């Protein structure tokens, strides 16, 4: 099935949101109420938003209305969700519940398994589809198929990573029998860089008929994907939109600022949203021993070890059956920023820390965090604790954009850059269509071209601007572009001054009741606590890697060491353990497992450059002896008595050979690094100048060959990291 794209917008009608053929007496009354309130309503009436409907407010402010004294959730007026891009503007108005209760088959996609599973626990007619959580095993294909075969309306609550499995079982020809809803779609935009498979969800979305799909959030961001340009936009305005009161606290010491805020509320519950387990632990260490006993950390299962005895898997059910915060002082990481329903009263402290990109909050994310509270006036006070970039940092961030004034915004520049590369790739495909020699050549060239579609980003690895879609075609990675646009805005505009933060918060329908800056000098105790915390976390990281090594050896012993099991195994792991698995996945085919695990363990505390060297050593060793690259270098270094300066190595030997075989230009520093990866090298001082002598091969003493890279495989950028 081709993607279902709209040349023009297909608007909703009342027949799209109300089941006119099977109206109950209650629904007839709702329609009469709407008409009495001056709203024209027939099955064919086009409806572009819910203007005039008091959605989201428990009591309609105003006398004499047909709605006075009624509850105003979406399900009080609609039978099913509208199609298109739904901007619900505020959380907690029952969008997900409405679709779960609708009289049609629904697939509802969630960005996290915690969110999907929490909705499943509230609606027992649904099927949770995702990996294991809270002791429940992951959902099997057999369970999905059995559920699909039931006669009642199907309500599949699917974690984004599992959508492909569900749709494979449903089959494309049956897409029109289901309504696909993507919940909290803004999280896909924010997290796609860390979970690149999230954009596949948009590919599948576009394959559903326009009236059988919607994406929903309370904090809608612009989409750079032109395929969504004509998608119906449907707003749910809130007629009683009272501004939130927010206190802004700027600081150079997040830890001590949060500690002071906690101490201001000795008797009431506190909810601290801070996406950093490391720094949460540092805050807890600064509290008195008795106060620490009141602390809990709400986080993902992957962070159980770091959270330690403070870990809480979920909210607690109170005696009244409502979802309560488990402790007096409750810290929460990002998996609790969206989707959960807290039916409790508490002081809210949101933390935005510019030291780490994953700890920076957008203004929209702050709104999402505030929206977790599901009871009227449940947020007793709201404080944003934040830091800002120094002027020198601001000057260098996204500096390249200043050279490109012709682009209206950052995302347009990124799309322009990406499309140029994709046009080159497309031209190469067309030219080589019927020529196998050209096809092989362009295969190599395309790898070199694709390297130019990675965008440097502050505080993280370069981000890919292209991706292969579900039809195996190279296309722009629009969600990554959306992410970079947001990051550019936060770094370049929001977190550059206290004035900018205040302005952005006020524009988000907030009333800033106080805005102050506090500076703290780090005490000896704080410095000591940070060092202790860092040491403990390092020990735990090493324990995690040892666990990974044991798991990998076990897979190997039962002949299950393959790419599929490695991908499945590392799903949900913390970054350091996941990285170890990914490194094994890249190299395990080419070398004996003992050698590989030994060297990956040895470089566990080093940066990515150390892995590049190991990777390149293994790959060069895996080349068959008559591979053109290996032959060229071995011939160049056949005189083992010769001494080379770094300039000679770079200009006369390594750089020209690498350029010829990979079409990549390398620096002198990289040339020396490659030499040390490929050969045993002795460094000698000769007349005060460093010289290099090649004394042997296989510098890492790798033991047993696995798969070999054959002489006719010249697409070397698939293997080497240059």
């Amino acid at each position: 099935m081709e993607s279902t794209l709209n040349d023009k917008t297909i608007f909703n009608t009342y027949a799209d949101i109300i089941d006119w053929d099977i109206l109950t007496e209650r629904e007839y009354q709702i329609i009469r109420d709407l008409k009495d309130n001056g709203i024209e309503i027939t099955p064919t009436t086009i409806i572009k938003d819910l203007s005039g409907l008091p959605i989201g407010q428990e009591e309609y402010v105003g006398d004499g209305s047909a709605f006075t004294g009624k509850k105003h959730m979406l399900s009080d007026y609609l039978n099913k969700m509208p199609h298109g891009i739904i901007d619900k503007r505020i959380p907690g108005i029952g969008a997900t519940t409405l679709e779960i209760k609708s009289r049609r088959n629904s697939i509802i996609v969630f960005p996290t398994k915690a969110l999907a599973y929490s909705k499943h626990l509230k609606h027992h007619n649904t099927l949770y589809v995702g990996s294991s959580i809270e002791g429940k095993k992951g959902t099997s294909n057999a369970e999905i198929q059995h559920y699909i075969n039931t006669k009642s309306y199907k309500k599949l609550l699917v974690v984004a990573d599992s959508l492909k499995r569900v749709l494979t079982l449903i089959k494309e020809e049956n897409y029109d029998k289901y309504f696909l809803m993507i919940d909290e779609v803004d999280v896909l935009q924010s997290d796609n860089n860390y979970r690149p498979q999230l954009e596949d969800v948009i590919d599948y979305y576009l394959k559903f008929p326009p009236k059988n799909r919607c994406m929903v959030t309370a904090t809608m961001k612009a989409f750079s994907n032109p395929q969504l340009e004509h998608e119906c936009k449907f707003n749910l305005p809130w007629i009683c939109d009272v501004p939130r009161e927010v206190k802004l606290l700027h600081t150079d010491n997040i830890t001590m600022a949060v500690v002071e805020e906690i101490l201001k509320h000795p008797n009431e519950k506190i909810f601290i949203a801070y996406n950093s387990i490391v720094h949460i632990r540092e805050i807890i260490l600064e509290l008195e021993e008795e106060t620490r006993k009141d602390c809990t950390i709400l986080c993902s299962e992957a962070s159980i070890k770091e959270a330690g005895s403070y870990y809480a898997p979920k909210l607690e059910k109170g005696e009244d059956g409502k979802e309560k915060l488990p402790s007096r002082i409750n810290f929460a990481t990002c998996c609790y920023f969206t989707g959960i329903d807290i039916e409790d009263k508490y002081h809210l402290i949101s933390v935005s820390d510019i030291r780490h990109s994953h700890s920076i909050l957008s203004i929209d994310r702050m709104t999402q965090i505030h929206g977790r509270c599901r009871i009227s006036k449940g947020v007793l006070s709201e404080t944003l604790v934040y830091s800002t970039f120094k002027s020198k940092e601001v000057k260098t961030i996204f500096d390249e954009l200043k050279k490109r004034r012709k682009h209206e915004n950052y995302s347009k520049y990124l799309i322009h850059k990406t499309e140029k590369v994709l046009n080159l790739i497309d031209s190469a495909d067309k030219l080589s269509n019927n020529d196998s020699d050209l096809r092989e050549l362009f295969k190599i060239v395309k790898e070199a071209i694709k390297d130019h579609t990675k965008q440097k980003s502050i505080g993280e690895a370069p981000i890919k601007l292209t991706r292969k879609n579900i039809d195996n075609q190279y296309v722009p990675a629009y969600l990554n572009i959306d992410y970079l646009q947001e990051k550019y805005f936060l770094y370049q505009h929001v977190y550059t001054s206290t004035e900018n933060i205040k302005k952005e918060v006020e524009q988000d329908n907030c009333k800033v009741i106080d805005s102050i800056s506090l500076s703290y000098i780090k005490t000896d105790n704080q410095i000591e606590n940070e060092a202790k915390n860092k040491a403990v976390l390092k020990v735990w990281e090493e324990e995690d890697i040892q666990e990974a090594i044991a798991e990998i050896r076990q897979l190997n012993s039962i002949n299950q060491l393959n790419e599929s099991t490695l991908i499945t195994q590392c799903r949900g792991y913390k970054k350091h353990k996941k990285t170890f698995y990914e490194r094994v996945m890249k190299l395990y085919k080419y070398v004996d497992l003992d050698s590989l695990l030994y060297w990956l363990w040895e470089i566990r505390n080093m940066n990515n450059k150390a892995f590049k060297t190991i990777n390149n050593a293994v790959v060069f060793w895996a080349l068959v002896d008559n591979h053109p690259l290996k032959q060229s270098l071995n011939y160049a270094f056949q005189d083992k008595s010769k001494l080379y300066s770094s300039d000679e190595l770079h200009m006369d030997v390594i750089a020209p050979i690498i350029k010829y075989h990979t079409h990549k230009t390398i620096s002198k520093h990289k040339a020396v690094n490659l030499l040390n990866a490929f050969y045993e090298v002795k460094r000698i001082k000769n007349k005060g100048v460093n010289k290099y002598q090649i004394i042997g091969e296989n510098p890492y003493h790798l033991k047993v060959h696995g798969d070999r890279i054959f002489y006719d495989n010249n697409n070397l950028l698939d293997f080497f990291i240059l």
Side-chain angles (χ1 to χ4, degrees):
M1 184 184 289
E2 293 294 318
S3 295
T4 310
L5 306 181
N6 303 332
D7 293 328
K8 60 180 182 178
T9 302
I10 301 173
F11 292 107
N12 284 276
T13 65
Y14 275 101
D16 293 319
I17 58 176
I18 294 175
D19 293 319
W20 287 85
D21 297 334
I22 45 175
L23 290 174
T24 64
E25 179 54 39
R26 172 183 167 277
E27 288 158 351
Y28 273 117
Q29 183 59 48
I30 290 170
I31 292 170
R32 284 194 289 269
D33 286 349
L34 292 171
K35 288 181 176 179
D36 290 345
N37 207 50
I39 297 173
E40 181 188 351
I41 177 167
T42 69
T44 57
T45 303
I46 287 177
I47 175 170
K48 297 184 179 180
D49 58 36
L50 294 184
S51 297
L53 275 71
I55 302 299
Q57 184 68 12
E58 290 183 3
E59 291 185 4
Y60 184 75
V61 180
D63 296 325
S65 166
F67 302 113
T68 303
K70 293 186 178 179
K71 191 177 180 182
H72 307 296
M73 304 295 281
L74 282 176
S75 57
D76 289 309
Y77 303 103
L78 315 184
N79 297 133
K80 50 192 175 181
M81 283 295 290
H83 63 261
I85 298 174
I86 315 301
D87 185 358
K88 63 181 183 178
R89 309 234 172 148
I90 53 167
I93 57 174
T96 311
T97 301
L98 173 64
E99 188 54 38
I100 289 173
K101 291 183 176 180
S102 67
R103 294 182 282 249
R104 63 183 172 190
N105 298 323
S106 308
I107 303 165
I108 306 176
V109 182
F110 299 91
T112 67
K113 63 181 182 179
L115 179 49
Y117 190 62
S118 68
K119 297 293 183 185
H120 164 68
L121 291 177
K122 293 179 180 179
H123 303 279
H124 298 297
N125 62 319
T126 63
L127 179 71
Y128 163 78
V129 183
S131 58
S132 60
I133 181 171
E134 294 180 21
K136 177 185 169 20
K137 289 183 179 179
T139 317
S140 68
N141 284 356
E143 289 175 289
I144 299 169
Q145 190 65 63
H146 176 75
Y147 184 80
I148 289 171
N149 292 339
T150 59
K151 291 183 179 179
S152 58
Y153 292 116
K154 268 68 80 175
K155 302 294 173 181
L156 295 123
L157 309 187
V158 185
V159 184
D161 312 76
S162 298
L163 181 61
K164 180 181 179 180
R165 280 203 298 141
V166 170
L167 295 182
T168 300
L169 293 170
I170 286 174
K171 299 184 172 52
E172 282 193 25
E173 59 266 28
N174 295 316
Y175 285 3
D176 61 351
K177 298 179 177 67
Y178 286 81
F179 187 84
L180 177 67
M181 171 176 164
I182 305 174
D183 201 13
E184 310 291 1
V185 69
D186 61 299
V187 179
L188 269 64
Q189 291 173 294
S190 299
D191 291 3
N192 187 70
N193 176 44
Y194 308 103
R195 297 163 60 198
Q197 70 277 19
L198 289 179
E199 191 149 10
D200 290 351
V201 173
I202 304 298
D203 293 341
Y204 288 116
Y205 175 87
L206 291 167
K207 287 186 179 292
F208 276 70
K211 288 205 169 196
N212 287 61
R213 67 196 191 198
C214 78
M215 51 178 74
V216 185
T217 182
T219 51
M220 189 61 69
K221 302 170 188 170
F223 288 94
S224 58
N225 189 337
Q227 292 175 298
L228 298 172
E229 182 180 349
H230 295 292
E231 193 77 354
C232 174
K233 312 295 191 299
F234 196 92
N235 294 335
L236 309 181
W238 189 20
I239 64 170
C240 303
D241 205 356
V242 180
R244 288 158 33 213
E245 292 189 345
V246 181
K247 173 187 170 185
L248 302 180
L249 173 52
H250 173 253
T251 185
D252 57 0
N253 189 329
I254 295 280
T255 300
M256 296 314 298
V258 174
V259 167
E260 285 205 2
E261 287 302 306
I262 290 171
L263 296 178
K264 289 177 183 177
H265 310 292
N267 302 313
E268 295 160 316
K269 285 189 176 182
I270 308 168
F271 183 75
I272 303 135
Y274 192 2
N275 195 32
S276 172
I277 291 278
V278 174
H279 296 311
I280 286 173
R281 285 174 54 86
E282 288 170 0
I283 292 167
I284 293 173
L285 284 172
E286 290 297 321
L287 298 170
E288 295 291 335
E289 190 67 40
E290 280 301 307
T291 308
R292 290 180 204 170
K293 294 176 183 177
D294 293 335
C295 293
T296 282
I297 302 177
L298 293 156
C299 58
S300 70
E301 291 177 329
S303 300
I304 289 177
K305 187 177 285 186
E306 288 89 338
S309 61
Y310 300 109
Y311 174 72
K314 57 185 177 181
L315 302 174
E316 287 186 353
K317 277 242 187 270
E319 292 179 1
D320 56 1
K322 293 183 176 180
E323 299 283 344
K324 306 282 187 179
L325 293 172
S327 299
R328 188 175 72 80
I329 302 169
N330 305 270
F331 294 88
T333 59
C334 63
C335 62
Y336 282 85
F337 290 1
T338 55
I340 62 163
D341 300 340
I342 304 175
E343 298 166 298
D344 211 344
K345 291 189 174 185
Y346 54 86
H347 296 275
L348 172 61
I349 302 171
S350 298
V351 181
S352 191
D353 186 348
I354 56 95
R355 287 177 293 180
H356 313 284
S357 59
H358 62 265
S359 298
I360 298 177
L361 296 177
S362 67
I363 306 302
D364 285 343
R365 187 55 66 94
M366 294 174 208
T367 301
Q368 286 276 19
I369 292 166
H370 181 275
R372 296 309 97 231
C373 187
R374 291 299 202 247
I375 63 173
S376 179
K377 299 180 181 178
V379 176
L380 304 174
S381 69
E382 182 176 0
T383 303
L384 170 64
V385 178
Y386 69 98
S387 50
T388 51
F389 294 106
K390 296 174 183 175
S391 55
K392 286 184 180 178
E393 293 173 314
V394 173
K395 189 173 184 300
T396 58
I397 293 168
F398 296 102
D399 206 42
E400 64 175 308
L401 193 64
K402 297 172 186 175
K403 304 171 188 174
R404 298 174 170 86
R405 297 294 183 190
K406 63 180 179 179
H407 297 286
E408 188 178 318
N409 59 37
Y410 193 55
S411 62
K412 285 193 174 182
Y413 155 64
L414 295 175
I415 291 170
H416 175 72
K417 175 180 176 177
T418 305
E419 286 177 342
K420 283 200 299 184
V421 173
L422 290 175
N423 286 338
L424 279 172
I425 291 174
D426 184 55
S427 298
D429 286 339
K430 288 175 181 175
L431 285 169
S432 61
N433 193 28
N434 296 312
D435 189 322
S436 59
D437 290 334
L438 271 180
R439 197 157 46 244
E440 284 300 309
L441 174 62
F442 283 142
K443 190 177 177 183
I444 298 168
V445 173
K446 280 195 289 185
E447 285 302 317
I449 291 171
K450 277 193 296 176
D451 216 38
H452 291 279
T453 59
K454 290 180 182 177
Q455 186 66 20
K456 289 182 180 178
S457 182
I458 308 298
E460 57 193 336
I463 293 170
K464 292 181 179 179
L465 299 181
T466 61
R467 56 181 280 267
K468 273 192 175 181
N469 65 13
I470 59 173
D471 295 319
N472 209 35
Q473 301 165 326
Y474 282 108
V475 294
Y478 289 111
L479 291 188
N480 277 356
I481 290 170
D482 294 344
Y483 165 78
L484 284 165
Q485 172 65 41
E486 179 184 59
K487 188 170 182 181
Y488 164 73
F489 182 70
L490 293 175
Y491 276 61
Q492 195 79 347
H493 296 286
V494 180
Y495 287 98
T496 53
S497 70
T498 56
E499 292 80 10
N500 284 355
I501 282 280
K502 185 172 183 289
K503 176 185 172 185
E504 293 299 324
V505 169
E506 287 175 336
Q507 285 180 352
D508 195 49
N509 195 36
C510 293
K511 178 183 178 183
V512 176
I513 57 173
D514 199 5
S515 180
I516 60 174
S517 291
L518 294 176
S519 182
Y520 301 85
I521 296 172
K522 278 190 180 182
T523 63
D524 290 342
N525 187 63
Q526 185 182 355
I527 293 168
E528 185 181 343
N529 281 338
E530 287 178 358
K532 282 180 184 176
N533 190 44
K534 189 175 181 181
V536 168
L537 290 171
K538 183 57 66 180
V539 169
W540 286 344
E541 282 185 13
E542 297 203 343
E543 287 176 357
D544 283 345
I545 293 173
Q546 286 289 0
E547 285 174 11
I549 289 172
E551 291 163 2
I552 289 162
R553 288 194 185 280
Q554 173 64 17
L555 289 173
N556 190 52
S557 70
I558 59 174
N559 296 317
Q560 290 294 311
L561 186 60
N562 55 60
E563 192 166 326
S564 176
T565 54
L566 288 170
I567 290 171
T568 303
Q569 192 80 14
C570 71
R571 196 170 287 158
Y573 281 155
K574 295 289 285 184
K575 183 181 177 183
H576 53 272
K577 193 171 181 180
K578 187 176 181 181
T579 297
F580 191 87
Y581 263 95
E582 288 169 346
R583 289 174 173 181
V584 169
M585 203 184 316
K586 187 166 174 59
L587 298 173
Y588 78 96
K589 294 178 184 177
Y590 306 110
V591 64
D592 63 284
L593 197 59
D594 286 339
S595 296
L596 178 59
L597 294 177
Y598 172 80
W599 283 111
L600 292 182
W601 171 257
E602 286 294 302
I603 64 166
R604 67 195 182 280
N605 294 324
M606 301 181 196
N607 61 24
N608 205 41
K609 289 180 182 177
F611 173 67
K612 286 182 183 180
T613 302
I614 297 295
N615 177 86
N616 293 335
V618 170
V619 169
F620 188 73
W621 188 65
L623 296 175
V624 291
D625 292 340
N626 63 343
H627 191 283
L629 173 64
K630 188 175 266 189
Q631 282 188 323
S632 298
L633 285 168
N634 285 343
Y635 180 79
F637 292 125
Q638 60 184 327
D639 182 359
K640 297 294 189 288
S641 64
K642 187 171 180 180
L643 301 179
Y644 299 86
S645 68
S646 57
D647 285 334
E648 289 169 333
L649 282 171
H650 178 235
M651 299 298 294
D652 300 340
V653 186
I654 297 177
I657 291 174
I658 295 296
K659 176 83 171 182
Y660 179 81
H661 289 280
T662 68
H663 307 279
K664 286 276 288 185
T665 301
I666 61 170
S667 65
K668 180 164 67 175
H669 180 69
K670 281 188 179 178
V672 174
N673 283 346
L674 285 176
L675 181 73
N676 284 299
F678 297 167
Y679 298 100
E680 278 201 81
V681 179
K682 187 177 181 181
R683 196 165 72 170
I684 300 167
K685 278 278 187 187
N686 185 272
K687 296 180 181 178
V689 177
N690 282 328
K691 297 276 188 173
Y692 299 87
Q693 182 182 7
I694 287 75
I695 59 175
E697 298 178 11
N698 191 14
Y700 287 88
H701 307 290
L702 306 173
K703 295 173 187 172
V704 183
H705 279 293
D707 293 352
R708 303 299 297 269
I709 301 168
F710 289 104
Y711 71 93
D712 58 348
N713 192 335
N714 292 307
N715 198 8
L716 295 176
L717 290 177
D718 272 350
F719 305 98
F720 288 107
I721 305 175
L722 300 179

